[in-house]
Amino acid sequence: ISVVIPTYNRDQYLGRSIQSVLNQTFRDFELIIVDDGSRDRTGDVVSVFEDPRIRYFRLETNQGVSAALNHGIKASGSRFVAFQDDDDEWHPEKLARQWEAFQQEPLTTGVVYTGIVLLRKGEKTFIPFPVTQEKQGEIYQELLRKETLVPLVSALVRKECFEKEGVFDERLPTSSDYDMWIRLSRTYAFKYIPEALVTVHYLPMSLSRNPANILVSRQRLLENHDAAYRTSG
Protein backbone atom coordinates (compact mmCIF):
# COMPACT_ATOMS: atom_id res chain seq x y z
CA ILE A 1 0.00 0.00 0.00
CA SER A 2 1.16 3.53 -0.79
CA VAL A 3 -0.14 6.18 1.63
CA VAL A 4 -0.25 9.75 0.30
CA ILE A 5 -0.38 12.81 2.57
CA PRO A 6 -0.71 16.14 0.73
CA THR A 7 0.14 19.04 3.03
CA TYR A 8 0.33 22.81 2.98
CA ASN A 9 1.27 25.00 5.98
CA ARG A 10 0.01 22.53 8.59
CA ASP A 11 3.17 21.95 10.60
CA GLN A 12 1.20 22.12 13.87
CA TYR A 13 -0.92 19.09 12.90
CA LEU A 14 1.21 17.11 10.45
CA GLY A 15 3.20 15.17 13.04
CA ARG A 16 0.01 13.72 14.53
CA SER A 17 -1.14 12.63 11.11
CA ILE A 18 2.19 11.00 10.21
CA GLN A 19 2.37 9.16 13.54
CA SER A 20 -1.10 7.70 13.07
CA VAL A 21 0.06 6.18 9.77
CA LEU A 22 3.25 4.80 11.30
CA ASN A 23 1.14 3.26 14.11
CA GLN A 24 -0.75 1.03 11.66
CA THR A 25 -0.83 -2.67 12.53
CA PHE A 26 -0.48 -3.32 8.79
CA ARG A 27 3.20 -2.65 8.20
CA ASP A 28 3.80 -3.19 4.47
CA PHE A 29 3.39 0.37 3.19
CA GLU A 30 5.29 3.39 1.96
CA LEU A 31 4.35 6.88 3.15
CA ILE A 32 4.56 9.60 0.50
CA ILE A 33 4.36 13.14 1.89
CA VAL A 34 3.81 15.84 -0.73
CA ASP A 35 4.59 19.32 0.58
CA ASP A 36 2.62 21.69 -1.65
CA GLY A 37 5.01 24.65 -1.32
CA SER A 38 4.62 25.21 2.43
CA ARG A 39 6.23 28.25 4.02
CA ASP A 40 6.26 26.91 7.57
CA ARG A 41 8.29 24.18 9.32
CA THR A 42 6.77 21.26 7.41
CA GLY A 43 10.15 19.94 6.30
CA ASP A 44 11.45 20.01 9.87
CA VAL A 45 8.40 18.10 11.12
CA VAL A 46 8.93 15.36 8.54
CA SER A 47 12.67 15.09 9.29
CA VAL A 48 11.93 14.12 12.90
CA PHE A 49 10.52 10.77 11.73
CA GLU A 50 13.41 8.46 10.93
CA ASP A 51 11.45 5.76 9.15
CA PRO A 52 12.74 4.34 5.84
CA ARG A 53 9.18 3.98 4.54
CA ILE A 54 8.76 7.77 4.39
CA ARG A 55 9.36 9.57 1.08
CA TYR A 56 9.18 13.37 1.15
CA PHE A 57 8.55 15.53 -1.92
CA ARG A 58 8.45 19.31 -1.84
CA LEU A 59 6.77 21.26 -4.65
CA GLU A 60 8.39 24.66 -5.17
CA THR A 61 5.07 26.46 -5.64
CA ASN A 62 1.61 25.87 -4.20
CA GLN A 63 -0.37 23.97 -6.84
CA GLY A 64 -3.44 22.89 -4.88
CA VAL A 65 -4.46 19.71 -3.10
CA SER A 66 -5.49 17.84 -6.26
CA ALA A 67 -2.09 18.44 -7.86
CA ALA A 68 -0.38 17.26 -4.67
CA LEU A 69 -2.55 14.12 -4.59
CA ASN A 70 -1.71 13.41 -8.22
CA HIS A 71 2.00 13.83 -7.55
CA GLY A 72 1.69 11.26 -4.78
CA ILE A 73 -0.20 8.81 -7.00
CA LYS A 74 2.40 9.08 -9.74
CA ALA A 75 5.21 8.54 -7.23
CA SER A 76 3.53 5.52 -5.65
CA GLY A 77 4.94 2.07 -6.25
CA SER A 78 2.16 -0.11 -4.83
CA ARG A 79 -0.98 -1.82 -6.09
CA PHE A 80 -3.17 0.08 -3.62
CA VAL A 81 -3.23 3.78 -2.64
CA ALA A 82 -4.65 5.36 0.52
CA PHE A 83 -4.99 9.05 1.30
CA GLN A 84 -4.46 10.69 4.67
CA ASP A 85 -5.21 14.31 5.53
CA ASP A 86 -2.47 16.31 7.19
CA ASP A 87 -4.67 17.18 10.18
CA ASP A 88 -6.51 13.91 10.83
CA GLU A 89 -5.79 10.58 12.51
CA TRP A 90 -6.14 6.98 11.40
CA HIS A 91 -6.99 4.35 13.96
CA PRO A 92 -4.26 1.67 14.18
CA GLU A 93 -6.22 -1.11 12.48
CA LYS A 94 -7.52 0.94 9.52
CA LEU A 95 -5.24 -0.36 6.78
CA ALA A 96 -5.35 -3.92 8.12
CA ARG A 97 -9.15 -4.02 8.03
CA GLN A 98 -9.21 -2.61 4.50
CA TRP A 99 -6.50 -4.98 3.27
CA GLU A 100 -8.43 -7.94 4.70
CA ALA A 101 -11.60 -6.74 3.01
CA PHE A 102 -9.90 -6.45 -0.38
CA GLN A 103 -8.69 -10.06 -0.12
CA GLN A 104 -12.34 -11.17 -0.01
CA GLU A 105 -13.47 -8.95 -2.88
CA PRO A 106 -13.45 -9.56 -6.66
CA LEU A 107 -11.17 -7.52 -8.92
CA THR A 108 -14.18 -5.41 -9.89
CA THR A 109 -14.12 -3.81 -6.43
CA GLY A 110 -12.01 -0.68 -6.74
CA VAL A 111 -12.54 1.10 -3.41
CA VAL A 112 -12.87 -0.03 0.21
CA TYR A 113 -13.90 2.76 2.58
CA THR A 114 -14.79 3.05 6.25
CA GLY A 115 -16.85 5.19 8.58
CA ILE A 116 -15.25 8.17 10.31
CA VAL A 117 -15.64 10.10 13.55
CA LEU A 118 -15.89 13.88 13.22
CA LEU A 119 -14.41 15.59 16.28
CA ARG A 120 -15.71 19.15 16.70
CA LYS A 121 -15.30 21.14 19.92
CA GLY A 122 -14.92 17.93 21.91
CA GLU A 123 -18.08 16.33 20.48
CA LYS A 124 -17.89 13.19 18.34
CA THR A 125 -20.22 12.53 15.41
CA PHE A 126 -20.25 9.29 13.44
CA ILE A 127 -20.34 9.67 9.65
CA PRO A 128 -22.09 8.68 7.34
CA PHE A 129 -25.06 10.68 8.62
CA PRO A 130 -28.51 9.01 8.53
CA VAL A 131 -29.44 11.08 5.44
CA THR A 132 -26.36 9.80 3.57
CA GLN A 133 -26.45 6.11 4.40
CA GLU A 134 -23.48 3.89 3.72
CA LYS A 135 -23.72 2.22 0.33
CA GLN A 136 -21.68 -0.46 -1.35
CA GLY A 137 -21.60 -2.40 -4.58
CA GLU A 138 -22.67 -0.28 -7.53
CA ILE A 139 -23.15 3.20 -6.07
CA TYR A 140 -23.00 5.37 -9.18
CA GLN A 141 -26.63 6.56 -9.01
CA GLU A 142 -26.46 7.12 -5.24
CA LEU A 143 -23.37 9.28 -5.67
CA LEU A 144 -25.05 11.39 -8.34
CA ARG A 145 -27.99 11.96 -5.99
CA LYS A 146 -25.58 12.51 -3.05
CA GLU A 147 -27.26 9.74 -1.07
CA THR A 148 -23.94 8.34 0.09
CA LEU A 149 -20.60 9.73 1.27
CA VAL A 150 -17.11 8.34 0.67
CA PRO A 151 -14.55 10.40 2.63
CA LEU A 152 -11.20 10.42 0.84
CA VAL A 153 -9.36 10.03 4.14
CA SER A 154 -11.16 6.71 4.71
CA ALA A 155 -10.64 5.18 1.25
CA LEU A 156 -8.23 2.54 -0.02
CA VAL A 157 -8.15 2.38 -3.82
CA ARG A 158 -6.72 -0.02 -6.38
CA LYS A 159 -4.07 1.94 -8.25
CA GLU A 160 -5.34 0.54 -11.56
CA CYS A 161 -8.47 2.65 -11.03
CA PHE A 162 -6.42 5.81 -11.60
CA GLU A 163 -4.63 4.27 -14.56
CA LYS A 164 -7.96 3.50 -16.23
CA GLU A 165 -10.13 6.43 -15.15
CA GLY A 166 -7.58 9.20 -14.66
CA VAL A 167 -6.31 11.11 -11.62
CA PHE A 168 -7.87 13.97 -9.64
CA ASP A 169 -9.22 16.96 -11.56
CA GLU A 170 -6.83 19.81 -10.74
CA ARG A 171 -9.37 22.41 -11.84
CA LEU A 172 -11.46 21.62 -8.75
CA PRO A 173 -10.35 23.54 -5.63
CA THR A 174 -12.56 21.21 -3.55
CA SER A 175 -14.78 18.14 -4.15
CA SER A 176 -12.20 16.53 -6.42
CA ASP A 177 -12.71 13.32 -4.42
CA TYR A 178 -16.46 13.40 -5.14
CA ASP A 179 -15.70 13.88 -8.83
CA MET A 180 -13.29 10.94 -8.67
CA TRP A 181 -15.83 8.62 -7.02
CA ILE A 182 -18.41 9.40 -9.69
CA ARG A 183 -15.91 8.46 -12.40
CA LEU A 184 -14.70 5.31 -10.66
CA SER A 185 -18.19 4.10 -9.73
CA ARG A 186 -19.14 3.84 -13.40
CA THR A 187 -16.75 0.88 -13.67
CA TYR A 188 -15.85 -0.32 -10.17
CA ALA A 189 -17.80 -1.50 -7.12
CA PHE A 190 -17.28 0.00 -3.65
CA LYS A 191 -17.03 -1.90 -0.35
CA TYR A 192 -18.02 -0.31 2.95
CA ILE A 193 -16.61 -1.30 6.37
CA PRO A 194 -19.13 -0.17 9.03
CA GLU A 195 -16.51 0.92 11.55
CA ALA A 196 -15.18 4.36 12.46
CA LEU A 197 -11.50 3.90 11.65
CA VAL A 198 -10.59 7.57 11.12
CA THR A 199 -10.88 10.62 13.38
CA VAL A 200 -11.42 13.83 11.42
CA HIS A 201 -10.62 17.03 13.29
CA TYR A 202 -12.94 19.87 12.33
CA LEU A 203 -11.04 22.97 11.23
CA PRO A 204 -13.14 26.00 10.20
CA MET A 205 -10.45 27.30 7.80
CA SER A 206 -10.67 24.20 5.59
CA LEU A 207 -10.56 24.72 1.81
CA SER A 208 -13.76 22.70 1.47
CA ARG A 209 -15.65 25.35 3.48
CA ASN A 210 -14.49 28.34 1.44
CA PRO A 211 -17.58 29.77 -0.38
CA ALA A 212 -15.60 30.78 -3.46
CA ASN A 213 -14.09 27.30 -3.75
CA ILE A 214 -17.51 25.70 -3.35
CA LEU A 215 -18.97 27.83 -6.15
CA VAL A 216 -16.14 27.09 -8.58
CA SER A 217 -16.28 23.38 -7.79
CA ARG A 218 -20.05 23.16 -8.30
CA GLN A 219 -19.69 24.76 -11.71
CA ARG A 220 -16.90 22.35 -12.68
CA LEU A 221 -18.86 19.35 -11.44
CA LEU A 222 -21.83 20.37 -13.56
CA GLU A 223 -19.54 20.64 -16.57
CA ASN A 224 -17.98 17.24 -15.91
CA HIS A 225 -21.20 15.33 -15.22
CA ASP A 226 -24.04 17.40 -16.66
CA ALA A 227 -25.62 14.61 -18.70
CA ALA A 228 -25.40 12.14 -15.82
CA TYR A 229 -27.01 14.57 -13.36
CA ARG A 230 -29.88 15.19 -15.77
CA THR A 231 -30.71 11.49 -16.02
CA SER A 232 -30.06 10.46 -12.40
CA GLY A 233 -33.64 11.04 -11.32
Short mmCIF file of all heavy atoms in Angstrom, two decimals, residues 46-86:
data_model
loop_
_atom_site.label_atom_id
_atom_site.label_comp_id
_atom_site.label_asym_id
_atom_site.label_seq_id
_atom_site.Cartn_x
_atom_site.Cartn_y
_atom_site.Cartn_z
N VAL A 46 8.72 16.65 9.20
CA VAL A 46 8.93 15.36 8.54
C VAL A 46 10.28 14.76 8.92
O VAL A 46 10.40 13.54 9.14
CB VAL A 46 8.83 15.52 7.00
CG1 VAL A 46 9.17 14.20 6.31
CG2 VAL A 46 7.45 15.99 6.60
N SER A 47 11.31 15.59 9.03
CA SER A 47 12.67 15.09 9.29
C SER A 47 12.80 14.43 10.66
O SER A 47 13.74 13.66 10.89
CB SER A 47 13.68 16.23 9.16
OG SER A 47 13.50 17.19 10.20
N VAL A 48 11.88 14.73 11.57
CA VAL A 48 11.93 14.12 12.90
C VAL A 48 11.67 12.62 12.83
O VAL A 48 12.19 11.84 13.65
CB VAL A 48 10.89 14.80 13.82
CG1 VAL A 48 10.74 14.03 15.13
CG2 VAL A 48 11.29 16.24 14.10
N PHE A 49 10.90 12.18 11.84
CA PHE A 49 10.52 10.77 11.73
C PHE A 49 11.57 10.02 10.91
O PHE A 49 11.67 10.18 9.70
CB PHE A 49 9.15 10.65 11.06
CG PHE A 49 8.03 11.24 11.87
CD1 PHE A 49 7.67 12.57 11.67
CD2 PHE A 49 7.37 10.49 12.82
CE1 PHE A 49 6.63 13.13 12.41
CE2 PHE A 49 6.33 11.04 13.57
CZ PHE A 49 5.97 12.37 13.37
N GLU A 50 12.35 9.22 11.59
CA GLU A 50 13.41 8.46 10.93
C GLU A 50 12.89 7.07 10.58
O GLU A 50 13.24 6.06 11.21
CB GLU A 50 14.63 8.39 11.84
CG GLU A 50 15.24 9.75 12.13
CD GLU A 50 16.45 9.66 13.03
OE1 GLU A 50 16.74 8.54 13.52
OE2 GLU A 50 17.12 10.69 13.25
N ASP A 51 12.05 7.02 9.59
CA ASP A 51 11.45 5.76 9.15
C ASP A 51 11.73 5.59 7.67
O ASP A 51 11.40 6.48 6.87
CB ASP A 51 9.93 5.76 9.41
CG ASP A 51 9.31 4.38 9.25
OD1 ASP A 51 9.44 3.81 8.15
OD2 ASP A 51 8.68 3.89 10.20
N PRO A 52 12.35 4.50 7.25
CA PRO A 52 12.74 4.34 5.84
C PRO A 52 11.56 4.25 4.89
O PRO A 52 11.75 4.37 3.66
CB PRO A 52 13.54 3.03 5.85
CG PRO A 52 13.06 2.29 7.06
CD PRO A 52 12.76 3.35 8.08
N ARG A 53 10.36 4.06 5.41
CA ARG A 53 9.18 3.98 4.54
C ARG A 53 8.69 5.36 4.11
O ARG A 53 7.84 5.46 3.23
CB ARG A 53 8.05 3.23 5.26
CG ARG A 53 8.35 1.77 5.51
CD ARG A 53 7.30 1.13 6.41
NE ARG A 53 7.31 1.74 7.74
CZ ARG A 53 6.48 1.39 8.72
NH1 ARG A 53 5.58 0.45 8.51
NH2 ARG A 53 6.55 1.97 9.90
N ILE A 54 9.21 6.42 4.70
CA ILE A 54 8.76 7.77 4.39
C ILE A 54 9.52 8.32 3.18
O ILE A 54 10.75 8.27 3.13
CB ILE A 54 8.95 8.71 5.60
CG1 ILE A 54 8.04 8.27 6.75
CG2 ILE A 54 8.65 10.16 5.20
CD1 ILE A 54 8.21 9.11 8.00
N ARG A 55 8.77 8.87 2.23
CA ARG A 55 9.36 9.57 1.08
C ARG A 55 8.76 10.98 1.06
O ARG A 55 7.54 11.14 1.07
CB ARG A 55 9.03 8.83 -0.22
CG ARG A 55 9.56 7.40 -0.26
CD ARG A 55 8.97 6.66 -1.44
NE ARG A 55 9.37 7.28 -2.71
CZ ARG A 55 8.75 7.04 -3.87
NH1 ARG A 55 7.71 6.22 -3.92
NH2 ARG A 55 9.17 7.62 -4.98
N TYR A 56 9.62 11.97 1.05
CA TYR A 56 9.18 13.37 1.15
C TYR A 56 9.46 14.11 -0.15
O TYR A 56 10.59 14.10 -0.65
CB TYR A 56 9.90 14.05 2.32
CG TYR A 56 9.63 15.53 2.47
CD1 TYR A 56 8.35 16.02 2.74
CD2 TYR A 56 10.68 16.45 2.36
CE1 TYR A 56 8.12 17.38 2.89
CE2 TYR A 56 10.47 17.81 2.52
CZ TYR A 56 9.18 18.28 2.78
OH TYR A 56 8.95 19.62 2.92
N PHE A 57 8.42 14.73 -0.71
CA PHE A 57 8.55 15.53 -1.92
C PHE A 57 8.08 16.95 -1.61
O PHE A 57 7.01 17.13 -1.02
CB PHE A 57 7.69 14.97 -3.06
CG PHE A 57 8.06 13.57 -3.48
CD1 PHE A 57 7.49 12.47 -2.85
CD2 PHE A 57 8.98 13.35 -4.49
CE1 PHE A 57 7.83 11.18 -3.22
CE2 PHE A 57 9.33 12.07 -4.88
CZ PHE A 57 8.75 10.97 -4.24
N ARG A 58 8.86 17.92 -2.04
CA ARG A 58 8.45 19.31 -1.84
C ARG A 58 8.27 20.00 -3.18
O ARG A 58 9.20 20.06 -4.00
CB ARG A 58 9.47 20.10 -1.00
CG ARG A 58 8.96 21.50 -0.65
CD ARG A 58 9.95 22.30 0.18
NE ARG A 58 9.33 23.52 0.65
CZ ARG A 58 9.16 24.63 -0.10
NH1 ARG A 58 9.59 24.64 -1.35
NH2 ARG A 58 8.58 25.70 0.42
N LEU A 59 7.05 20.50 -3.44
CA LEU A 59 6.77 21.26 -4.65
C LEU A 59 7.20 22.70 -4.40
O LEU A 59 6.94 23.26 -3.33
CB LEU A 59 5.29 21.19 -5.00
CG LEU A 59 4.68 19.78 -5.09
CD1 LEU A 59 3.21 19.85 -5.50
CD2 LEU A 59 5.47 18.91 -6.06
N GLU A 60 7.84 23.32 -5.36
CA GLU A 60 8.39 24.66 -5.17
C GLU A 60 7.31 25.72 -5.05
O GLU A 60 7.48 26.73 -4.37
CB GLU A 60 9.35 25.00 -6.31
CG GLU A 60 10.64 24.19 -6.29
CD GLU A 60 11.38 24.33 -4.97
OE1 GLU A 60 11.49 25.45 -4.45
OE2 GLU A 60 11.83 23.29 -4.44
N THR A 61 6.18 25.52 -5.71
CA THR A 61 5.07 26.46 -5.64
C THR A 61 3.80 25.74 -5.24
O THR A 61 3.64 24.54 -5.49
CB THR A 61 4.83 27.17 -6.99
OG1 THR A 61 4.54 26.17 -8.00
CG2 THR A 61 6.06 27.96 -7.40
N ASN A 62 2.89 26.45 -4.61
CA ASN A 62 1.61 25.87 -4.20
C ASN A 62 0.75 25.61 -5.43
O ASN A 62 0.41 26.53 -6.17
CB ASN A 62 0.91 26.82 -3.23
CG ASN A 62 -0.44 26.28 -2.79
OD1 ASN A 62 -1.47 26.81 -3.16
ND2 ASN A 62 -0.43 25.22 -2.01
N GLN A 63 0.39 24.36 -5.65
CA GLN A 63 -0.37 23.97 -6.84
C GLN A 63 -1.78 23.49 -6.53
O GLN A 63 -2.55 23.21 -7.44
CB GLN A 63 0.40 22.88 -7.60
CG GLN A 63 1.77 23.34 -8.06
CD GLN A 63 2.56 22.23 -8.74
OE1 GLN A 63 2.00 21.34 -9.37
NE2 GLN A 63 3.88 22.28 -8.62
N GLY A 64 -2.11 23.35 -5.25
CA GLY A 64 -3.44 22.89 -4.88
C GLY A 64 -3.44 21.43 -4.49
O GLY A 64 -2.58 20.64 -4.90
N VAL A 65 -4.44 21.05 -3.68
CA VAL A 65 -4.46 19.71 -3.10
C VAL A 65 -4.57 18.63 -4.16
O VAL A 65 -3.95 17.56 -4.05
CB VAL A 65 -5.59 19.58 -2.05
CG1 VAL A 65 -6.96 19.76 -2.69
CG2 VAL A 65 -5.49 18.25 -1.32
N SER A 66 -5.34 18.87 -5.22
CA SER A 66 -5.49 17.84 -6.26
C SER A 66 -4.16 17.56 -6.96
O SER A 66 -3.83 16.41 -7.24
CB SER A 66 -6.55 18.26 -7.28
OG SER A 66 -7.83 18.31 -6.69
N ALA A 67 -3.40 18.62 -7.24
CA ALA A 67 -2.09 18.44 -7.86
C ALA A 67 -1.15 17.67 -6.93
O ALA A 67 -0.38 16.80 -7.38
CB ALA A 67 -1.48 19.80 -8.22
N ALA A 68 -1.22 17.97 -5.63
CA ALA A 68 -0.38 17.26 -4.67
C ALA A 68 -0.77 15.78 -4.59
O ALA A 68 0.09 14.89 -4.53
CB ALA A 68 -0.49 17.92 -3.29
N LEU A 69 -2.07 15.51 -4.59
CA LEU A 69 -2.55 14.12 -4.59
C LEU A 69 -2.05 13.39 -5.83
O LEU A 69 -1.58 12.24 -5.74
CB LEU A 69 -4.07 14.09 -4.55
CG LEU A 69 -4.74 14.48 -3.23
CD1 LEU A 69 -6.24 14.68 -3.44
CD2 LEU A 69 -4.49 13.43 -2.15
N ASN A 70 -2.14 14.04 -6.98
CA ASN A 70 -1.71 13.41 -8.22
C ASN A 70 -0.21 13.13 -8.23
O ASN A 70 0.24 12.11 -8.75
CB ASN A 70 -2.10 14.28 -9.42
CG ASN A 70 -3.60 14.30 -9.64
OD1 ASN A 70 -4.32 13.42 -9.17
ND2 ASN A 70 -4.07 15.31 -10.34
N HIS A 71 0.55 14.05 -7.65
CA HIS A 71 2.00 13.83 -7.55
C HIS A 71 2.27 12.58 -6.72
O HIS A 71 3.13 11.77 -7.07
CB HIS A 71 2.67 15.05 -6.91
CG HIS A 71 4.17 15.00 -6.94
ND1 HIS A 71 4.92 15.64 -7.91
CD2 HIS A 71 5.06 14.37 -6.14
CE1 HIS A 71 6.20 15.41 -7.69
NE2 HIS A 71 6.32 14.64 -6.61
N GLY A 72 1.51 12.43 -5.63
CA GLY A 72 1.69 11.26 -4.78
C GLY A 72 1.32 9.97 -5.49
O GLY A 72 2.00 8.95 -5.36
N ILE A 73 0.21 9.99 -6.25
CA ILE A 73 -0.20 8.81 -7.00
C ILE A 73 0.86 8.40 -8.00
O ILE A 73 1.23 7.23 -8.11
CB ILE A 73 -1.54 9.07 -7.72
CG1 ILE A 73 -2.68 9.23 -6.70
CG2 ILE A 73 -1.87 7.94 -8.69
CD1 ILE A 73 -3.98 9.72 -7.31
N LYS A 74 1.39 9.38 -8.73
CA LYS A 74 2.40 9.08 -9.74
C LYS A 74 3.70 8.56 -9.13
O LYS A 74 4.43 7.78 -9.76
CB LYS A 74 2.66 10.33 -10.58
CG LYS A 74 1.47 10.73 -11.44
CD LYS A 74 1.66 12.09 -12.09
CE LYS A 74 0.40 12.51 -12.85
NZ LYS A 74 0.51 13.89 -13.41
N ALA A 75 3.99 8.98 -7.90
CA ALA A 75 5.21 8.54 -7.23
C ALA A 75 5.03 7.18 -6.55
O ALA A 75 6.03 6.55 -6.16
CB ALA A 75 5.65 9.57 -6.19
N SER A 76 3.80 6.74 -6.40
CA SER A 76 3.53 5.52 -5.65
C SER A 76 4.00 4.28 -6.40
O SER A 76 3.93 4.22 -7.63
CB SER A 76 2.03 5.41 -5.34
OG SER A 76 1.27 5.22 -6.53
N GLY A 77 4.44 3.29 -5.64
CA GLY A 77 4.94 2.07 -6.25
C GLY A 77 4.18 0.84 -5.82
O GLY A 77 4.71 -0.27 -5.91
N SER A 78 2.94 1.01 -5.36
CA SER A 78 2.16 -0.11 -4.83
C SER A 78 0.89 -0.34 -5.63
O SER A 78 0.48 0.50 -6.44
CB SER A 78 1.79 0.17 -3.36
OG SER A 78 2.94 0.47 -2.61
N ARG A 79 0.25 -1.47 -5.38
CA ARG A 79 -0.98 -1.82 -6.09
C ARG A 79 -2.21 -1.13 -5.50
O ARG A 79 -3.27 -1.11 -6.12
CB ARG A 79 -1.21 -3.33 -6.07
CG ARG A 79 -0.18 -4.11 -6.89
CD ARG A 79 -0.52 -5.58 -6.96
NE ARG A 79 -0.48 -6.20 -5.64
CZ ARG A 79 -1.51 -6.82 -5.08
NH1 ARG A 79 -2.68 -6.87 -5.69
NH2 ARG A 79 -1.37 -7.38 -3.90
N PHE A 80 -2.06 -0.60 -4.29
CA PHE A 80 -3.17 0.08 -3.62
C PHE A 80 -2.68 1.44 -3.11
O PHE A 80 -1.52 1.57 -2.71
CB PHE A 80 -3.71 -0.75 -2.46
CG PHE A 80 -4.32 -2.05 -2.88
CD1 PHE A 80 -3.53 -3.19 -3.01
CD2 PHE A 80 -5.68 -2.14 -3.15
CE1 PHE A 80 -4.09 -4.40 -3.40
CE2 PHE A 80 -6.24 -3.35 -3.55
CZ PHE A 80 -5.44 -4.48 -3.68
N VAL A 81 -3.58 2.43 -3.09
CA VAL A 81 -3.23 3.78 -2.64
C VAL A 81 -4.27 4.24 -1.62
O VAL A 81 -5.48 4.11 -1.85
CB VAL A 81 -3.18 4.78 -3.80
CG1 VAL A 81 -2.71 6.15 -3.30
CG2 VAL A 81 -2.26 4.28 -4.92
N ALA A 82 -3.79 4.77 -0.50
CA ALA A 82 -4.65 5.36 0.52
C ALA A 82 -4.27 6.82 0.69
O ALA A 82 -3.14 7.22 0.40
CB ALA A 82 -4.50 4.61 1.85
N PHE A 83 -5.21 7.62 1.19
CA PHE A 83 -4.99 9.05 1.30
C PHE A 83 -5.28 9.50 2.73
O PHE A 83 -6.36 9.26 3.27
CB PHE A 83 -5.89 9.81 0.32
CG PHE A 83 -5.70 9.37 -1.10
CD1 PHE A 83 -6.53 8.42 -1.67
CD2 PHE A 83 -4.66 9.88 -1.88
CE1 PHE A 83 -6.35 7.98 -2.97
CE2 PHE A 83 -4.48 9.46 -3.18
CZ PHE A 83 -5.32 8.51 -3.74
N GLN A 84 -4.31 10.18 3.32
CA GLN A 84 -4.46 10.69 4.67
C GLN A 84 -4.41 12.21 4.63
O GLN A 84 -3.61 12.80 3.88
CB GLN A 84 -3.34 10.13 5.56
CG GLN A 84 -3.16 10.81 6.90
CD GLN A 84 -4.31 10.59 7.87
OE1 GLN A 84 -5.47 10.78 7.52
NE2 GLN A 84 -3.99 10.22 9.10
N ASP A 85 -5.27 12.86 5.41
CA ASP A 85 -5.21 14.31 5.53
C ASP A 85 -4.12 14.71 6.52
O ASP A 85 -3.81 13.97 7.46
CB ASP A 85 -6.56 14.86 6.01
CG ASP A 85 -7.63 14.81 4.94
OD1 ASP A 85 -7.26 14.60 3.76
OD2 ASP A 85 -8.81 14.97 5.26
N ASP A 86 -3.59 15.89 6.33
CA ASP A 86 -2.47 16.31 7.19
C ASP A 86 -2.90 16.75 8.58
O ASP A 86 -2.05 17.06 9.42
CB ASP A 86 -1.66 17.43 6.51
CG ASP A 86 -2.49 18.66 6.17
OD1 ASP A 86 -3.67 18.73 6.59
OD2 ASP A 86 -1.97 19.55 5.47
#
